[in-house]
Amino acid sequence: MSLNGIIKKRYNQRGRLDTFTEIADEAFGEMYDNEKLGQFYVPSTEYLHNQQPYTLLESGWMVNAKSSNDSQSNKHDEFSALNKSTNIAPNDDFDASKFVDKNNPAIKYNHGTTTLGFKFKGGVVVAVDSRASMGSYIGSGTVKKIIEINPYLLGTMAGGAADCQFWERNLSMQCRLYELRNGERISVATASKIMCNWMYQYKDRFSVGSMIAGYDKEGPQLFYVDSSAMRLNSNFCFSVGSGSTYAYGVLDSGWKWDLTDEEAIQLGRKSIYHATHRDAYSGGFVNVYLIKEDGWINISHDDCFHLFQTYYPEKAKAINEGGEFKEKEEQKDDDGDAPMS
């Protein structure tokens, strides 16, 4: 007779299931003793009726809440250990303490990136690097930090890669559903508001600092949304990430509203490159997109090392030839105490 048959027979005869040892002995023979059977047991109806809601431990284990009728649960020695409420996971194998560095119990790794977006009369330029890092560890040098939401909308990634990718891909789906329901393309403001509403529902539970850029009826648009549910609109630019201060410095020196498309592309590329040159957590490749009235265009995908040779040909030549690069002597002002700009 099968084990299920034995269980059913015993239950019908006595109204209560026998202990796991008796059932196992009859089903499998004496070769399976208590030690080999381990945690295997079949609870009685009495035990099930006395059960309280489960308790979720910090370690992720679900354990039984302490029963109000402990005297009945202790009648069977085999069940006493199983019915007892505990705050420790079985055998301590998956306890939270097993996964924490005891020397650095509260260690938090820094994330690094540089993303940039700015508006000009011809549209929006979005430029990013491609390095994914966790502290001093470089996880990847070829991350695609610009998410193509639809042919007119782009989103950038800064913070946690998984969080940004998930929510922006979900936004892509919602933008398509909006088009099907309303018969028109979603505006950049509406798309960013949907993203912001999600961030508000899960406020501060993620690591997201994204720009939503696009072109709609209002012209070129640029919004910033982060995991604290902050949503900002810009008439100029945003830069997000550990290298943003370096990118802002180059951008501020060269931006003007009436830039040509080529000037805007060069400015975006140069801003991100200089950020990767100074910020240890940014690097890899510089990716540049241009958004115009008829949609976005993927402009370039340049290696930072090749850009270094473009922007600093003399330094690059000295490095490649193993020579020593000497800076030109700076021209002093009349007093001789400060370099002339």
Side-chain angles (χ1 to χ4, degrees), residues 122-140:
V124 183
V125 167
V126 180
V128 299
D129 73 316
S130 67
R131 175 173 291 179
S133 60
M134 186 179 71
S136 59
Y137 171 73
I138 299 175
S140 175

Side-chain angles (χ1 to χ4, degrees), residues 110-115 128-146 157-161 240-243 272 275-287 301-305:
N110 294 322
H111 302 281
T113 187
T114 306
T115 62
V128 299
D129 73 316
S130 67
R131 175 173 291 179
S133 60
M134 186 179 71
S136 59
Y137 171 73
I138 299 175
S140 175
T142 57
V143 176
K144 188 175 181 180
K145 296 185 181 180
I146 296 180
M157 290 169 43
V240 186
S242 57
I272 294 296
T276 63
H277 187 64
R278 294 297 182 186
D279 178 35
Y281 305 107
S282 302
F285 293 84
V286 177
N287 297 312
H301 175 75
D302 299 302
D303 192 324
C304 289
F305 181 72

Side-chain angles (χ1 to χ4, degrees), residues 308-341:
F308 173 77
Q309 300 184 61
T310 301
Y311 292 125
Y312 300 103
E314 294 182 4
K315 288 184 178 181
K317 182 178 179 181
I319 293 173
N320 293 335
E321 295 178 355
E324 183 179 353
F325 174 74
K326 295 182 180 180
E327 295 280 0
K328 294 182 179 179
E329 185 177 353
E330 293 179 337
Q331 185 179 358
K332 304 293 183 178
D333 61 6
D334 295 337
D335 296 331
D337 59 355
M340 297 180 62
S341 58

Side-chain angles (χ1 to χ4, degrees), residues 32-296:
Y32 289 94
D33 55 13
N34 291 346
E35 183 178 355
K36 291 182 180 179
L37 287 170
Q39 295 288 332
F40 170 74
Y41 75 101
V42 180
S44 65
T45 53
E46 181 183 9
Y47 169 74
L48 293 174
H49 285 312
N50 290 329
Q51 279 297 91
Q52 299 298 319
Y54 288 101
T55 300
L56 181 63
L57 304 182
E58 292 183 0
S59 59
W61 281 87
M62 292 180 66
V63 298
N64 300 332
K66 191 172 183 179
S67 175
S68 60
N69 193 356
D70 288 337
S71 59
Q72 293 182 4
S73 63
N74 290 330
K75 288 182 180 179
H76 305 286
D77 293 337
E78 295 86 351
F79 292 149
S80 60
L82 298 171
N83 294 345
K84 186 177 179 181
S85 176
T86 177
N87 286 329
I88 302 175
N91 301 324
D92 294 340
D93 289 340
F94 296 95
D95 190 76
S97 61
K98 298 285 186 180
F99 303 95
V100 177
D101 185 347
K102 296 179 181 178
N103 297 322
N104 299 284
I107 190 169
K108 293 183 178 179
Y109 293 100
N110 294 322
H111 302 281
T113 187
T114 306
T115 62
L116 173 73
F118 66 87
K119 295 163 57 175
F120 68 107
K121 71 173 184 179
V124 183
V125 167
V126 180
V128 299
D129 73 316
S130 67
R131 175 173 291 179
S133 60
M134 186 179 71
S136 59
Y137 171 73
I138 299 175
S140 175
T142 57
V143 176
K144 188 175 181 180
K145 296 185 181 180
I146 296 180
I147 305 295
E148 298 160 356
I149 297 172
N150 68 26
Y152 299 87
L153 272 176
L154 294 173
T156 64
M157 290 169 43
D163 295 340
C164 295
Q165 284 183 349
F166 174 82
W167 289 112
E168 290 184 18
R169 287 174 179 174
N170 199 30
L171 179 62
S172 176
M173 177 190 68
Q174 294 297 330
C175 291
R176 179 57 180 153
L177 290 174
Y178 181 95
E179 292 179 15
L180 295 173
R181 292 190 186 108
N182 299 279
E184 63 177 0
R185 198 169 74 237
I186 191 170
S187 67
V188 183
T190 303
S192 65
K193 187 63 176 178
I194 292 173
M195 183 83 165
C196 182
N197 289 342
W198 289 335
M199 295 299 101
Y200 185 80
Q201 292 174 17
Y202 300 94
K203 196 170 185 180
D204 294 325
R205 297 186 187 181
F206 301 114
S207 177
V208 174
S210 293
M211 290 180 285
I212 308 297
Y215 209 109
D216 57 22
K217 296 177 181 178
E218 303 295 327
Q221 299 291 322
L222 181 64
F223 286 83
Y224 168 78
V225 180
D226 66 17
S227 48
S228 64
M230 181 169 66
R231 174 174 171 266
L232 302 173
N233 186 12
S234 176
N235 291 323
F236 172 27
C237 75
F238 286 120
S239 184
V240 186
S242 57
S244 60
T245 52
Y246 306 109
Y248 272 131
V250 177
L251 185 63
D252 289 340
S253 66
W255 182 87
K256 55 184 179 180
W257 177 252
D258 57 348
L259 289 169
T260 65
D261 289 355
E262 185 59 31
E263 289 174 340
I265 291 167
Q266 292 292 343
L267 179 60
R269 183 185 294 117
K270 185 177 181 181
S271 299
I272 294 296
Y273 163 72
H274 281 282
T276 63
H277 187 64
R278 294 297 182 186
D279 178 35
Y281 305 107
S282 302
F285 293 84
V286 177
N287 297 312
V288 181
Y289 281 69
L290 174 64
I291 308 175
K292 297 185 69 65
E293 187 174 4
D294 54 351
W296 53 260

